[in-house]
Amino acid sequence: MDGKNIAIWFCIFLPLLLTLAENRRRRTQIIQKRARIGRKERREEMNELIQHCLGKRCLIHVGGGWESNVTGVVESIEGNWLSVRIDKTVEVVNLDYISRIRELPEKKK
């Protein structure tokens, strides 16, 4: 390649790369702003919804880069933490990572 071709490549692709980088930065700022603003409101709303599940056996979907399920009796909710009794142990789950809660039917004897 000669110098003229390199200059053409820079003229074409450098603005494109700069635009992509700016869009990514802007998108990241928007996501961070939404997370800061709505976190408290979402937590209060989640606490109210979980109040209906207290004392019931539930399947809780937890995710945050990884996926996991917790099945047990919802015991209490304190601040941003949910206590779930699984047999004889208690597991504590952060509400920020809960994506779904489903009440399981009682087993018939």
Side-chain angles (χ1 to χ4, degrees), residues 34-78:
R34 285 181 185 167
R36 279 192 309 269
I37 291 172
R39 187 173 291 152
K40 185 175 181 181
E41 290 84 12
R42 284 194 310 264
R43 185 177 302 142
E44 291 171 0
E45 185 177 313
M46 179 73 89
N47 288 354
E48 291 174 18
L49 293 172
I50 292 175
Q51 293 296 327
H52 297 288
C53 297
L54 288 177
K56 298 179 183 174
R57 189 167 172 264
C58 295
L59 173 64
I60 302 167
H61 296 270
V62 182
W66 39 268
E67 282 296 320
S68 154
N69 295 327
V70 177
T71 303
V73 177
V74 177
E75 284 196 329
S76 66
I77 182 168
E78 296 176 20

Side-chain angles (χ1 to χ4, degrees), residues 2 9-11 13 21-22 26-27 29 37 39 42 44 46 58 62 80 87 89 93-95 101 106-107:
D2 60 355
W9 281 98
F10 273 121
C11 290
F13 289 108
E22 179 65 22
R26 204 174 298 146
R27 204 173 331 132
Q29 286 177 341
I37 291 172
R39 187 173 291 152
R42 284 194 310 264
E44 291 171 0
M46 179 73 89
C58 295
V62 182
N80 198 32
D87 296 328
T89 62
V93 181
N94 190 323
L95 293 180
I101 297 178
E106 294 293 325
K107 293 182 179 179

